[in-house]
């Protein structure tokens, strides 16, 4: 069991470092846009799963994966000057392929028991993070999205949400439309692209997060 987890972490790290290296030149091409704060929402897990790693598709050593479009989700956590934030805790939570959260207030009868629903990752020296998850789907009243929380030294630095670029529900989503600054709203719209060479239709998505303050600033 331990070797299985280590191998998954090693794979995750290699993907994240590659994504960070590829995305770095573009990050500094122009002034950085701060990632906007968004509501945490009512469905942050009220009971964390036993497995809280960065692979949301497999719970512990289960052989049954979650349903949905497999997505390799990468990014970097940067401060307002473009410096990477090391040892930041990145948390994500989202609905499963049936549109259900890992929360007692969501529709438990339809929940995909093979989807972890929540994951976390501690950034490395270049501020990189990596998750393997599913492409988010809509649920009543909301366009597809993934919730994020970034913390360091026990202090929550940012709560925000990622959205799928091109989703028809984006124009009607009150939380997304509540971001008045056009550049900030654009910054949380993410392309989900086919993973080159994948024979099972996997996707990639990259979401860099730029913080306006760090614990040291505070």
């Amino acid at each position: 069991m331990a070797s299985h987890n280590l191998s998954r972490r090693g794979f995750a790290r290699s993907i994240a470092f590659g994504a960070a290296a590829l995305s770095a030149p573009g990050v500094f091409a122009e002034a950085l846009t701060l990632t906007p704060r968004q509501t945490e929402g009512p469905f942050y897990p009220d009971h964390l799963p036993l497995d809280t790693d960065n692979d949301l598709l497999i719970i512990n050593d289960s052989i049954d994966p979650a349903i949905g479009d497999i997505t390799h989700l990468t990014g970097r956590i940067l401060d307002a000057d473009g410096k990477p934030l090391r040892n930041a805790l990145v948390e994500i939570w989202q609905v499963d392929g049936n549109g259900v959260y890992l929360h007692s207030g969501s529709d438990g009868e339809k929940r995909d028991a093979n989807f972890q629903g929540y994951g976390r990752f501690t950034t490395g020296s270049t501020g990189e993070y990596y998750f393997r998850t599913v492409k988010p789907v809509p649920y009543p009243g909301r366009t597809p999205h993934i919730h994020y929380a970034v913390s360091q030294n026990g202090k929550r630095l940012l709560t925000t949400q990622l959205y799928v670029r091109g989703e028809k529900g984006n124009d009607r989503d009150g939380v997304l439309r509540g971001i008045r600054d056009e550049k900030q709203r654009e910054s949380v719209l993410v392309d989900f692209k086919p993973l080159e060479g994948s024979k099972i239709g996997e996707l990639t998505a990259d979401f860099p997060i730029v913080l306006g303050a760090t614990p040291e600033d505070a």
Side-chain angles (χ1 to χ4, degrees), residues 133-184:
T133 186
V134 298
K135 182 180 180 181
V137 300
Y139 73 91
R142 292 300 313 275
T143 196
H145 60 283
I146 297 176
H147 293 268
Y148 272 75
V150 180
S151 305
Q152 191 180 52
N153 299 327
K155 178 181 176 61
R156 178 75 66 89
L157 303 180
L158 179 72
T159 304
T160 192
Q161 297 179 34
L162 167 163
Y163 298 87
V164 181
R165 188 185 302 278
E167 279 288 335
K168 60 183 181 180
N170 288 350
D171 290 338
R172 301 188 301 273
D173 189 274
V175 181
L176 174 58
R177 303 310 299 176
I179 304 172
R180 301 304 181 188
D181 184 277
E182 185 176 348
K183 287 186 177 180
Q184 287 193 315

Side-chain angles (χ1 to χ4, degrees), residues 102-153:
L102 180 65
H103 190 281
S104 59
S106 200
D107 190 351
E109 291 186 3
K110 295 182 179 180
R111 190 169 72 83
D112 178 4
N114 296 314
F115 184 60
Q116 195 168 293
Y118 167 93
R120 54 193 176 191
F121 189 95
T122 301
T123 60
S125 60
T126 63
E128 83 286 346
Y129 70 82
Y130 168 82
F131 293 96
R132 193 170 76 123
T133 186
V134 298
K135 182 180 180 181
V137 300
Y139 73 91
R142 292 300 313 275
T143 196
H145 60 283
I146 297 176
H147 293 268
Y148 272 75
V150 180
S151 305
Q152 191 180 52
N153 299 327

